[in-house]
Amino acid sequence: MEKILVLGGTGKTGRRLVRRLKAAGMRARTASRTGGDVPFDLGRPETWGPALGGAAAVYIVEPDLRPGLDRRARVPALVAEAVAAGARRLVLLSARGVGEAGDDHPLKSAEQAVRDSGVGWTILRPDWFAQNFSEAFWRQGILAGALALPTGDGRTPFVDAEDIAEVASAALTHERHSGRIYCLTGPRAIAFGEAAGLIGRATGRTIRHVDVDPEVFVERQVANGVPSDVARLLTGLLLDIRDGRGAAPSDGVEHALGRPPRRFEDYVAETAAAGHWD
């Protein structure tokens, strides 16, 4: 049975992907800086070889999108080493909008490297993860009852990480996904105020979205220890939502899996029942 290497295997999509692969009887190995089956750090090339050994398929994640980082020394170099080590299928977790962005997008070179690799490839371009409300950036605001973000009344079609993992699993194990780019979103775009209201009703608490000035948001992020360039990058992405860019849902999940994507309401109900906002 072929071995599948999952980079970022302890992250939001990685751990869900590994669970699915193992449930299907696949030999999946996790690689991450901490907690994985094998140590792996994209910033330390000496860790790549031991992780890649024997892997026929690789799930690739770029965890660091800081401006100014040398992109050619990371994913493109990793792709070359993976192919040289025998990988025959690559699945890249990219981001929505990369195809329309200029050459300076931090994931542009990663996508190009995968497409030029000479082996089977699939690119996943997800929208904002629904799980950001419960596992990452916005959970603290939800628990505090006020989600302060510079998004105004902008809407976005949050995608469930479970859908991303299911598409990734299919792409890693079935040839029919080779050469495909899937834009992954939820079934409809919703505003942060609506998202906060849905979570509030599910948890029995009052939770509201507070629109904040972009510069104030940057200052708060920096005060909480986020590097200034990262804070400004994140703010720019949130302002895209405010300005209505990329708000339309796509049919990538349905094309890949033959079913509609999971609704945000279903994610909220399941997450609240599991106690993640207690």
Tab-separated table of all heavy atoms in Angstrom, residues 78-137:
chain	number	residue	atom	x	y	z
A	78	LEU	N	10.825	22.275	-2.046
A	78	LEU	CA	10.246	21.065	-1.464
A	78	LEU	C	9.630	20.181	-2.545
A	78	LEU	O	9.798	18.956	-2.532
A	78	LEU	CB	9.189	21.435	-0.434
A	78	LEU	CG	8.373	20.260	0.125
A	78	LEU	CD1	9.240	19.370	1.001
A	78	LEU	CD2	7.160	20.764	0.905
A	79	VAL	N	8.916	20.789	-3.482
A	79	VAL	CA	8.302	20.024	-4.571
A	79	VAL	C	9.363	19.275	-5.354
A	79	VAL	O	9.210	18.082	-5.656
A	79	VAL	CB	7.490	20.973	-5.493
A	79	VAL	CG1	7.141	20.273	-6.801
A	79	VAL	CG2	6.226	21.441	-4.781
A	80	ALA	N	10.446	19.938	-5.676
A	80	ALA	CA	11.531	19.290	-6.427
A	80	ALA	C	12.104	18.111	-5.647
A	80	ALA	O	12.357	17.033	-6.217
A	80	ALA	CB	12.623	20.305	-6.745
A	81	GLU	N	12.286	18.286	-4.345
A	81	GLU	CA	12.834	17.200	-3.537
A	81	GLU	C	11.840	16.049	-3.405
A	81	GLU	O	12.236	14.869	-3.419
A	81	GLU	CB	13.240	17.722	-2.161
A	81	GLU	CG	13.970	16.675	-1.329
A	81	GLU	CD	14.753	17.262	-0.176
A	81	GLU	OE1	15.134	18.445	-0.237
A	81	GLU	OE2	15.028	16.511	0.786
A	82	ALA	N	10.554	16.371	-3.273
A	82	ALA	CA	9.536	15.332	-3.156
A	82	ALA	C	9.484	14.472	-4.417
A	82	ALA	O	9.407	13.233	-4.349
A	82	ALA	CB	8.170	15.956	-2.882
A	83	VAL	N	9.515	15.110	-5.583
A	83	VAL	CA	9.480	14.366	-6.852
A	83	VAL	C	10.740	13.526	-7.004
A	83	VAL	O	10.687	12.355	-7.411
A	83	VAL	CB	9.307	15.339	-8.030
A	83	VAL	CG1	9.432	14.599	-9.358
A	83	VAL	CG2	7.951	16.041	-7.946
A	84	ALA	N	11.888	14.092	-6.644
A	84	ALA	CA	13.147	13.343	-6.723
A	84	ALA	C	13.128	12.142	-5.785
A	84	ALA	O	13.751	11.104	-6.071
A	84	ALA	CB	14.313	14.257	-6.392
A	85	ALA	N	12.399	12.249	-4.673
A	85	ALA	CA	12.330	11.155	-3.701
A	85	ALA	C	11.308	10.091	-4.088
A	85	ALA	O	11.188	9.070	-3.410
A	85	ALA	CB	11.989	11.710	-2.322
A	86	GLY	N	10.545	10.345	-5.166
A	86	GLY	CA	9.621	9.321	-5.647
A	86	GLY	C	8.152	9.643	-5.555
A	86	GLY	O	7.306	8.812	-5.924
A	87	ALA	N	7.793	10.835	-5.071
A	87	ALA	CA	6.377	11.202	-5.000
A	87	ALA	C	5.783	11.298	-6.402
A	87	ALA	O	6.382	11.877	-7.300
A	87	ALA	CB	6.204	12.522	-4.265
A	88	ARG	N	4.592	10.750	-6.584
A	88	ARG	CA	3.941	10.762	-7.896
A	88	ARG	C	2.635	11.561	-7.900
A	88	ARG	O	2.014	11.708	-8.937
A	88	ARG	CB	3.649	9.322	-8.346
A	88	ARG	CG	4.913	8.460	-8.457
A	88	ARG	CD	4.616	7.123	-9.101
A	88	ARG	NE	3.665	6.347	-8.331
A	88	ARG	CZ	3.977	5.613	-7.255
A	88	ARG	NH1	5.232	5.574	-6.825
A	88	ARG	NH2	3.049	4.908	-6.636
A	89	ARG	N	2.251	12.065	-6.714
A	89	ARG	CA	1.024	12.854	-6.635
A	89	ARG	C	1.195	13.915	-5.556
A	89	ARG	O	1.643	13.618	-4.446
A	89	ARG	CB	-0.161	11.951	-6.315
A	89	ARG	CG	-1.503	12.649	-6.360
A	89	ARG	CD	-2.639	11.648	-6.238
A	89	ARG	NE	-2.630	10.697	-7.350
A	89	ARG	CZ	-3.290	9.541	-7.350
A	89	ARG	NH1	-3.998	9.183	-6.293
A	89	ARG	NH2	-3.244	8.737	-8.396
A	90	LEU	N	0.839	15.155	-5.895
A	90	LEU	CA	0.961	16.275	-4.972
A	90	LEU	C	-0.387	16.985	-4.868
A	90	LEU	O	-1.046	17.232	-5.882
A	90	LEU	CB	2.012	17.272	-5.466
A	90	LEU	CG	3.411	16.728	-5.772
A	90	LEU	CD1	4.266	17.821	-6.407
A	90	LEU	CD2	4.072	16.195	-4.504
A	91	VAL	N	-0.781	17.311	-3.641
A	91	VAL	CA	-1.985	18.103	-3.406
A	91	VAL	C	-1.567	19.309	-2.581
A	91	VAL	O	-1.026	19.163	-1.477
A	91	VAL	CB	-3.070	17.290	-2.671
A	91	VAL	CG1	-4.268	18.186	-2.335
A	91	VAL	CG2	-3.516	16.110	-3.525
A	92	LEU	N	-1.801	20.495	-3.123
A	92	LEU	CA	-1.399	21.734	-2.463
A	92	LEU	C	-2.600	22.453	-1.874
A	92	LEU	O	-3.593	22.700	-2.569
A	92	LEU	CB	-0.704	22.667	-3.466
A	92	LEU	CG	-0.386	24.075	-2.961
A	92	LEU	CD1	0.711	24.043	-1.897
A	92	LEU	CD2	0.022	24.987	-4.120
A	93	LEU	N	-2.507	22.819	-0.591
A	93	LEU	CA	-3.502	23.682	0.027
A	93	LEU	C	-3.096	25.120	-0.264
A	93	LEU	O	-2.130	25.629	0.301
A	93	LEU	CB	-3.579	23.443	1.532
A	93	LEU	CG	-4.640	24.282	2.262
A	93	LEU	CD1	-6.041	23.841	1.867
A	93	LEU	CD2	-4.461	24.183	3.770
A	94	SER	N	-3.815	25.758	-1.160
A	94	SER	CA	-3.515	27.126	-1.552
A	94	SER	C	-4.545	28.057	-0.912
A	94	SER	O	-4.906	27.874	0.255
A	94	SER	CB	-3.507	27.233	-3.083
A	94	SER	OG	-3.091	28.508	-3.519
A	95	ALA	N	-5.015	29.041	-1.628
A	95	ALA	CA	-5.999	29.978	-1.078
A	95	ALA	C	-6.854	30.528	-2.201
A	95	ALA	O	-6.416	30.624	-3.346
A	95	ALA	CB	-5.306	31.123	-0.340
A	96	ARG	N	-8.062	30.894	-1.848
A	96	ARG	CA	-8.958	31.457	-2.852
A	96	ARG	C	-8.392	32.776	-3.382
A	96	ARG	O	-7.848	33.580	-2.639
A	96	ARG	CB	-10.341	31.693	-2.253
A	96	ARG	CG	-11.392	31.949	-3.331
A	96	ARG	CD	-12.770	32.066	-2.757
A	96	ARG	NE	-13.767	32.108	-3.816
A	96	ARG	CZ	-15.020	32.504	-3.649
A	96	ARG	NH1	-15.414	32.886	-2.463
A	96	ARG	NH2	-15.867	32.511	-4.651
A	97	GLY	N	-8.522	32.982	-4.674
A	97	GLY	CA	-8.097	34.238	-5.273
A	97	GLY	C	-6.692	34.246	-5.823
A	97	GLY	O	-6.285	35.215	-6.465
A	98	VAL	N	-5.935	33.174	-5.612
A	98	VAL	CA	-4.562	33.152	-6.108
A	98	VAL	C	-4.544	33.278	-7.629
A	98	VAL	O	-3.682	33.951	-8.204
A	98	VAL	CB	-3.823	31.873	-5.662
A	98	VAL	CG1	-2.442	31.789	-6.295
A	98	VAL	CG2	-3.698	31.835	-4.144
A	99	GLY	N	-5.497	32.668	-8.289
A	99	GLY	CA	-5.529	32.708	-9.748
A	99	GLY	C	-5.758	34.092	-10.314
A	99	GLY	O	-5.324	34.394	-11.431
A	100	GLU	N	-6.431	34.959	-9.530
A	100	GLU	CA	-6.702	36.314	-10.003
A	100	GLU	C	-5.697	37.312	-9.479
A	100	GLU	O	-5.686	38.476	-9.887
A	100	GLU	CB	-8.101	36.760	-9.568
A	100	GLU	CG	-9.241	35.966	-10.186
A	100	GLU	CD	-9.435	34.607	-9.551
A	100	GLU	OE1	-9.374	34.508	-8.312
A	100	GLU	OE2	-9.623	33.633	-10.306
A	101	ALA	N	-4.823	36.879	-8.561
A	101	ALA	CA	-3.878	37.808	-7.934
A	101	ALA	C	-2.656	38.009	-8.819
A	101	ALA	O	-2.397	37.263	-9.760
A	101	ALA	CB	-3.444	37.262	-6.571
A	102	GLY	N	-1.897	39.038	-8.497
A	102	GLY	CA	-0.654	39.290	-9.214
A	102	GLY	C	0.430	38.308	-8.809
A	102	GLY	O	0.238	37.455	-7.938
A	103	ASP	N	1.585	38.452	-9.427
A	103	ASP	CA	2.683	37.530	-9.169
A	103	ASP	C	3.249	37.643	-7.757
A	103	ASP	O	4.044	36.794	-7.338
A	103	ASP	CB	3.816	37.768	-10.178
A	103	ASP	CG	3.424	37.341	-11.592
A	103	ASP	OD1	2.499	36.509	-11.715
A	103	ASP	OD2	4.022	37.841	-12.559
A	104	ASP	N	2.848	38.694	-7.022
A	104	ASP	CA	3.387	38.876	-5.685
A	104	ASP	C	2.604	38.119	-4.619
A	104	ASP	O	2.932	38.180	-3.439
A	104	ASP	CB	3.429	40.365	-5.325
A	104	ASP	CG	2.050	41.016	-5.362
A	104	ASP	OD1	1.130	40.425	-5.963
A	104	ASP	OD2	1.914	42.112	-4.801
A	105	HIS	N	1.535	37.400	-5.015
A	105	HIS	CA	0.796	36.631	-4.015
A	105	HIS	C	1.721	35.577	-3.416
A	105	HIS	O	2.451	34.887	-4.136
A	105	HIS	CB	-0.423	35.945	-4.637
A	105	HIS	CG	-1.362	35.381	-3.618
A	105	HIS	ND1	-1.085	34.248	-2.886
A	105	HIS	CD2	-2.578	35.829	-3.176
A	105	HIS	CE1	-2.083	34.006	-2.059
A	105	HIS	NE2	-2.999	34.953	-2.221
A	106	PRO	N	1.732	35.433	-2.074
A	106	PRO	CA	2.680	34.514	-1.433
A	106	PRO	C	2.542	33.052	-1.836
A	106	PRO	O	3.466	32.270	-1.624
A	106	PRO	CB	2.407	34.709	0.064
A	106	PRO	CG	1.085	35.385	0.151
A	106	PRO	CD	0.945	36.189	-1.090
A	107	LEU	N	1.408	32.653	-2.415
A	107	LEU	CA	1.236	31.253	-2.821
A	107	LEU	C	1.336	31.050	-4.331
A	107	LEU	O	1.181	29.930	-4.817
A	107	LEU	CB	-0.111	30.721	-2.312
A	107	LEU	CG	-0.184	30.501	-0.801
A	107	LEU	CD1	-1.611	30.235	-0.359
A	107	LEU	CD2	0.732	29.365	-0.380
A	108	LYS	N	1.617	32.103	-5.054
A	108	LYS	CA	1.697	32.004	-6.512
A	108	LYS	C	2.814	31.049	-6.942
A	108	LYS	O	2.621	30.166	-7.785
A	108	LYS	CB	1.937	33.386	-7.108
A	108	LYS	CG	1.662	33.474	-8.605
A	108	LYS	CD	0.181	33.663	-8.867
A	108	LYS	CE	-0.080	34.057	-10.303
A	108	LYS	NZ	-1.505	34.369	-10.540
A	109	SER	N	3.992	31.210	-6.364
A	109	SER	CA	5.123	30.362	-6.755
A	109	SER	C	4.905	28.919	-6.329
A	109	SER	O	5.349	27.990	-7.008
A	109	SER	CB	6.428	30.898	-6.163
A	109	SER	OG	6.372	30.907	-4.749
A	110	ALA	N	4.202	28.719	-5.212
A	110	ALA	CA	3.913	27.354	-4.763
A	110	ALA	C	3.007	26.656	-5.769
A	110	ALA	O	3.237	25.500	-6.145
A	110	ALA	CB	3.275	27.379	-3.385
A	111	GLU	N	1.962	27.348	-6.217
A	111	GLU	CA	1.061	26.759	-7.216
A	111	GLU	C	1.809	26.445	-8.507
A	111	GLU	O	1.631	25.377	-9.097
A	111	GLU	CB	-0.105	27.705	-7.495
A	111	GLU	CG	-1.147	27.750	-6.399
A	111	GLU	CD	-2.486	28.273	-6.912
A	111	GLU	OE1	-2.614	28.503	-8.140
A	111	GLU	OE2	-3.419	28.435	-6.094
A	112	GLN	N	2.641	27.362	-8.953
A	112	GLN	CA	3.358	27.142	-10.202
A	112	GLN	C	4.303	25.960	-10.100
A	112	GLN	O	4.423	25.166	-11.037
A	112	GLN	CB	4.144	28.401	-10.590
A	112	GLN	CG	4.624	28.407	-12.036
A	112	GLN	CD	3.477	28.337	-13.027
A	112	GLN	OE1	2.523	29.113	-12.935
A	112	GLN	NE2	3.531	27.400	-13.953
A	113	ALA	N	4.949	25.820	-8.964
A	113	ALA	CA	5.872	24.702	-8.773
A	113	ALA	C	5.146	23.364	-8.836
A	113	ALA	O	5.632	22.399	-9.439
A	113	ALA	CB	6.606	24.846	-7.439
A	114	VAL	N	3.986	23.293	-8.226
A	114	VAL	CA	3.203	22.060	-8.238
A	114	VAL	C	2.745	21.742	-9.662
A	114	VAL	O	2.828	20.596	-10.117
A	114	VAL	CB	2.007	22.184	-7.271
A	114	VAL	CG1	1.005	21.053	-7.490
A	114	VAL	CG2	2.494	22.179	-5.824
A	115	ARG	N	2.279	22.752	-10.374
A	115	ARG	CA	1.786	22.540	-11.734
A	115	ARG	C	2.919	22.137	-12.689
A	115	ARG	O	2.679	21.421	-13.667
A	115	ARG	CB	1.090	23.795	-12.238
A	115	ARG	CG	-0.160	24.139	-11.451
A	115	ARG	CD	-0.830	25.413	-11.926
A	115	ARG	NE	-1.450	25.232	-13.231
A	115	ARG	CZ	-2.271	26.108	-13.789
A	115	ARG	NH1	-2.541	27.242	-13.157
A	115	ARG	NH2	-2.803	25.876	-14.963
A	116	ASP	N	4.126	22.588	-12.413
A	116	ASP	CA	5.272	22.274	-13.276
A	116	ASP	C	6.063	21.061	-12.799
A	116	ASP	O	7.136	20.767	-13.330
A	116	ASP	CB	6.222	23.481	-13.333
A	116	ASP	CG	5.617	24.681	-14.032
A	116	ASP	OD1	4.626	24.501	-14.763
A	116	ASP	OD2	6.137	25.802	-13.839
A	117	SER	N	5.528	20.334	-11.811
A	117	SER	CA	6.302	19.271	-11.155
A	117	SER	C	6.532	18.045	-12.028
A	117	SER	O	7.447	17.257	-11.777
A	117	SER	CB	5.598	18.839	-9.871
A	117	SER	OG	4.321	18.273	-10.171
A	118	GLY	N	5.682	17.831	-13.024
A	118	GLY	CA	5.821	16.645	-13.867
A	118	GLY	C	5.132	15.418	-13.326
A	118	GLY	O	5.198	14.345	-13.932
A	119	VAL	N	4.449	15.559	-12.178
A	119	VAL	CA	3.687	14.442	-11.617
A	119	VAL	C	2.235	14.887	-11.473
A	119	VAL	O	1.887	16.039	-11.724
A	119	VAL	CB	4.263	13.999	-10.251
A	119	VAL	CG1	5.709	13.534	-10.409
A	119	VAL	CG2	4.175	15.139	-9.224
A	120	GLY	N	1.355	13.972	-11.055
A	120	GLY	CA	-0.034	14.319	-10.851
A	120	GLY	C	-0.187	15.350	-9.745
A	120	GLY	O	0.481	15.256	-8.711
A	121	TRP	N	-1.035	16.330	-9.971
A	121	TRP	CA	-1.195	17.392	-8.975
A	121	TRP	C	-2.659	17.836	-8.890
A	121	TRP	O	-3.422	17.716	-9.849
A	121	TRP	CB	-0.321	18.602	-9.292
A	121	TRP	CG	-0.586	19.217	-10.648
A	121	TRP	CD1	0.051	18.927	-11.821
A	121	TRP	CD2	-1.596	20.186	-10.985
A	121	TRP	NE1	-0.475	19.655	-12.858
A	121	TRP	CE2	-1.480	20.442	-12.378
A	121	TRP	CE3	-2.570	20.867	-10.253
A	121	TRP	CZ2	-2.324	21.344	-13.044
A	121	TRP	CZ3	-3.409	21.761	-10.906
A	121	TRP	CH2	-3.277	22.001	-12.289
A	122	THR	N	-3.005	18.354	-7.727
A	122	THR	CA	-4.307	18.986	-7.501
A	122	THR	C	-4.072	20.185	-6.600
A	122	THR	O	-3.283	20.113	-5.646
A	122	THR	CB	-5.294	18.029	-6.813
A	122	THR	OG1	-5.359	16.802	-7.544
A	122	THR	CG2	-6.680	18.644	-6.739
A	123	ILE	N	-4.745	21.297	-6.902
A	123	ILE	CA	-4.630	22.511	-6.093
A	123	ILE	C	-5.984	22.818	-5.470
A	123	ILE	O	-7.009	22.828	-6.155
A	123	ILE	CB	-4.149	23.699	-6.940
A	123	ILE	CG1	-2.694	23.463	-7.389
A	123	ILE	CG2	-4.259	25.011	-6.167
A	123	ILE	CD1	-2.181	24.489	-8.380
A	124	LEU	N	-5.978	23.051	-4.164
A	124	LEU	CA	-7.193	23.408	-3.429
A	124	LEU	C	-7.105	24.879	-3.037
A	124	LEU	O	-6.139	25.305	-2.403
A	124	LEU	CB	-7.339	22.546	-2.173
A	124	LEU	CG	-7.152	21.033	-2.345
A	124	LEU	CD1	-7.389	20.329	-1.014
A	124	LEU	CD2	-8.068	20.487	-3.421
A	125	ARG	N	-8.128	25.635	-3.417
A	125	ARG	CA	-8.175	27.065	-3.081
A	125	ARG	C	-9.398	27.331	-2.193
A	125	ARG	O	-10.468	27.692	-2.674
A	125	ARG	CB	-8.269	27.918	-4.339
A	125	ARG	CG	-7.017	27.897	-5.211
A	125	ARG	CD	-7.243	28.707	-6.476
A	125	ARG	NE	-6.051	28.748	-7.332
A	125	ARG	CZ	-6.066	29.157	-8.590
A	125	ARG	NH1	-7.222	29.551	-9.143
A	125	ARG	NH2	-4.955	29.186	-9.292
A	126	PRO	N	-9.256	27.141	-0.883
A	126	PRO	CA	-10.405	27.331	0.004
A	126	PRO	C	-10.621	28.789	0.374
A	126	PRO	O	-9.697	29.610	0.343
A	126	PRO	CB	-10.013	26.522	1.239
A	126	PRO	CG	-8.514	26.627	1.269
A	126	PRO	CD	-8.082	26.632	-0.176
A	127	ASP	N	-11.855	29.103	0.750
A	127	ASP	CA	-12.194	30.397	1.324
A	127	ASP	C	-11.834	30.357	2.816
A	127	ASP	O	-11.216	29.411	3.302
A	127	ASP	CB	-13.685	30.680	1.103
A	127	ASP	CG	-13.987	32.164	1.094
A	127	ASP	OD1	-14.113	32.747	2.183
A	127	ASP	OD2	-14.091	32.742	-0.009
A	128	TRP	N	-12.239	31.383	3.560
A	128	TRP	CA	-12.011	31.398	5.003
A	128	TRP	C	-12.640	30.159	5.648
A	128	TRP	O	-13.769	29.785	5.339
A	128	TRP	CB	-12.642	32.646	5.617
A	128	TRP	CG	-11.946	33.925	5.253
A	128	TRP	CD1	-12.226	34.726	4.183
A	128	TRP	CD2	-10.869	34.544	5.950
A	128	TRP	NE1	-11.382	35.808	4.175
A	128	TRP	CE2	-10.543	35.729	5.253
A	128	TRP	CE3	-10.151	34.228	7.108
A	128	TRP	CZ2	-9.535	36.593	5.670
A	128	TRP	CZ3	-9.147	35.086	7.524
A	128	TRP	CH2	-8.845	36.248	6.823
A	129	PHE	N	-11.912	29.542	6.571
A	129	PHE	CA	-12.396	28.344	7.247
A	129	PHE	C	-13.481	28.701	8.270
A	129	PHE	O	-13.327	29.646	9.056
A	129	PHE	CB	-11.278	27.661	8.033
A	129	PHE	CG	-10.169	27.091	7.192
A	129	PHE	CD1	-10.077	27.321	5.834
A	129	PHE	CD2	-9.189	26.312	7.790
A	129	PHE	CE1	-9.046	26.794	5.073
A	129	PHE	CE2	-8.159	25.775	7.045
A	129	PHE	CZ	-8.078	26.020	5.686
A	130	ALA	N	-14.555	27.929	8.308
A	130	ALA	CA	-15.551	28.083	9.366
A	130	ALA	C	-14.900	27.858	10.730
A	130	ALA	O	-15.246	28.522	11.718
A	130	ALA	CB	-16.700	27.097	9.145
A	131	GLN	N	-13.957	26.947	10.785
A	131	GLN	CA	-13.317	26.591	12.061
A	131	GLN	C	-12.488	27.718	12.666
A	131	GLN	O	-12.057	27.607	13.818
A	131	GLN	CB	-12.453	25.340	11.879
A	131	GLN	CG	-13.213	24.036	11.936
A	131	GLN	CD	-14.068	23.768	10.707
A	131	GLN	OE1	-13.940	24.434	9.681
A	131	GLN	NE2	-14.938	22.784	10.787
A	132	ASN	N	-12.268	28.808	11.929
A	132	ASN	CA	-11.589	29.953	12.534
A	132	ASN	C	-12.392	30.517	13.706
A	132	ASN	O	-11.837	31.160	14.591
A	132	ASN	CB	-11.369	31.053	11.492
A	132	ASN	CG	-10.291	30.687	10.494
A	132	ASN	OD1	-9.472	29.816	10.731
A	132	ASN	ND2	-10.295	31.375	9.365
A	133	PHE	N	-13.694	30.277	13.711
A	133	PHE	CA	-14.532	30.744	14.816
A	133	PHE	C	-14.370	29.887	16.068
A	133	PHE	O	-14.733	30.328	17.161
A	133	PHE	CB	-16.009	30.743	14.404
A	133	PHE	CG	-16.378	31.795	13.397
A	133	PHE	CD1	-16.433	31.485	12.052
A	133	PHE	CD2	-16.671	33.090	13.795
A	133	PHE	CE1	-16.785	32.443	11.111
A	133	PHE	CE2	-17.014	34.063	12.868
A	133	PHE	CZ	-17.074	33.740	11.520
A	134	SER	N	-13.861	28.679	15.922
A	134	SER	CA	-13.823	27.764	17.066
A	134	SER	C	-12.441	27.219	17.387
A	134	SER	O	-12.216	26.720	18.488
A	134	SER	CB	-14.763	26.571	16.816
A	134	SER	OG	-14.455	25.925	15.586
A	135	GLU	N	-11.492	27.338	16.458
A	135	GLU	CA	-10.190	26.723	16.677
A	135	GLU	C	-9.023	27.685	16.492
A	135	GLU	O	-7.877	27.295	16.700
A	135	GLU	CB	-10.000	25.531	15.719
A	135	GLU	CG	-11.008	24.423	15.909
A	135	GLU	CD	-10.829	23.291	14.907
A	135	GLU	OE1	-9.734	23.177	14.322
A	135	GLU	OE2	-11.793	22.538	14.701
A	136	ALA	N	-9.299	28.909	16.083
A	136	ALA	CA	-8.185	29.793	15.778
A	136	ALA	C	-8.549	31.246	16.027
A	136	ALA	O	-9.118	31.591	17.056
A	136	ALA	CB	-7.736	29.562	14.321
A	137	PHE	N	-8.256	32.079	15.023
A	137	PHE	CA	-8.261	33.531	15.140
A	137	PHE	C	-9.385	34.134	15.959
A	137	PHE	O	-9.163	35.018	16.774
A	137	PHE	CB	-8.299	34.173	13.740
A	137	PHE	CG	-7.365	33.571	12.759
A	137	PHE	CD1	-7.839	32.965	11.612
A	137	PHE	CD2	-5.994	33.602	12.972
A	137	PHE	CE1	-6.975	32.412	10.690
A	137	PHE	CE2	-5.117	33.055	12.062
A	137	PHE	CZ	-5.600	32.454	10.918
